[in-house]
Amino acid sequence: MFDKPNQLIFYINVTLIIFGVLVALLTDYFVIGLIFAFSAAILVYDQYRQNKSAFTISDLRKILTIHDTNGNKATLIQTQMTTACHVDNSEYWFRNIRGMGSISNFRVNDSDPAEQIKENGSYRVCMKLPPELKVVNGSDLILSYEYEDAFTQTEGVLSHVVDNDTRQLHLTVELPAGRSISSARFFCKHDDIEEALLPPVVTGQTKIEADIKNPKLGAEYCLQWNWSEAGFMKKISRLF
């Protein structure tokens, strides 16, 4: 949670807490030791508060729906139960939105985003948090957008980069009937290292699901599948 300078301060404060407790228990200076330990404990608490993520997410669900066997049209809906860790948080940024093809028609809680930025092929979308939403108590934030010509290849990927503390991540891909899946896998990438995870659940060759509890902060989780060539399926269909 802490960088190296903050780790040093944390260890010093913990040492002061232990020292204060020992003074209170083993010497005649009980009150002084207790005040010493209590003061150091307040410093530790304040350090945690300052370094805490701006938001926490208890449950994040990302559903990609591909509407045609050519993979030309697709829609993504991301729903997340989000809690603001500080009362003065006034906006939320959805980050690391990218993919092949084009991405358009961003909507946040069924409204236009407050701001939309594209840098190096990756989008960031901002939502202003009105006071009546009460995100400090937890609220559903819903992001949706559309893909064009993004899943025309034989390999497709739905990914998510964890940029807030998240308890549960669930990825779902819904595919059109008529283009069979040959394989699917679920993995994460962190610090340039790829780690295989439990295989996803494939239902009826049209639905792929994967989930993980307590995903690593900063890691990218990928649900990847391979399916047959769209043109090949058309040729096969003509024979029958």
Side-chain angles (χ1 to χ4, degrees), residues 98 156-161 169 171 173 184-189 194-195 197-198 200 210 219-225:
R98 58 182 183 268
V157 178
L158 170 62
S159 69
H160 179 76
V161 177
L169 172 64
L171 302 179
V173 177
R185 69 186 186 112
F186 184 42
F187 62 95
C188 78
K189 295 186 287 187
E194 184 176 305
E195 176 187 355
L197 302 172
L198 289 175
E220 180 178 13
Y221 288 82
C222 303
L223 180 56
Q224 182 188 76
W225 74 94

Side-chain angles (χ1 to χ4, degrees), residues 27-43:
T27 72
D28 296 330
Y29 301 100
F30 176 80
V31 176
I32 295 176
L34 203 60
I35 293 173
F36 207 86
F38 183 71
S39 300
I42 291 176
L43 293 175

